[in-house]
Amino acid sequence: MAQVAIALGSNLGERHLYLDRAVERLRGLPRLWLQRVSSYYETAPVGGPSDSGAYLNATALGETSLSPQELLAKLLM
């Protein structure tokens, strides 16, 4: 079993809702067990277009029996 930290972030639309949905999807992934999710933090964008909106960020901590490649594939779905 490996410990994992997954960074979450959104700067478009209903940011809070998008992060909530991302956490729900993570909780539904087989062979991934979330233990904690941080509070949401708003941060200024760094780099990118000058008109980018502020980000809402969080981190999810958990354990998985997936390989790094398998986990990445699931996260990109």
Side-chain angles (χ1 to χ4, degrees):
M1 198 76 66
Q3 292 187 340
V4 295
I6 301 168
L8 306 170
S10 176
N11 74 332
L12 301 173
E14 297 184 44
R15 303 168 304 156
H16 197 281
L17 177 63
Y18 295 150
L19 291 184
D20 287 346
R21 287 183 180 166
V23 170
E24 284 177 32
R25 290 186 69 181
L26 288 173
R27 290 190 193 284
L29 285 179
R31 298 172 49 197
L32 174 65
W33 300 273
L34 289 189
Q35 297 165 330
R36 288 188 296 213
V37 177
S38 72
S39 299
Y40 296 169
Y41 296 93
E42 187 170 274
T43 60
V46 176
S50 61
D51 62 344
S52 292
Y55 278 85
L56 200 58
N57 298 297
T59 302
L61 301 175
E63 291 187 340
T64 186
S65 60
L66 297 166
S67 72
Q69 295 82 3
E70 290 170 322
L71 179 59
L72 179 59
K74 299 265 185 214
L75 294 175
L76 293 175
M77 294 178 105

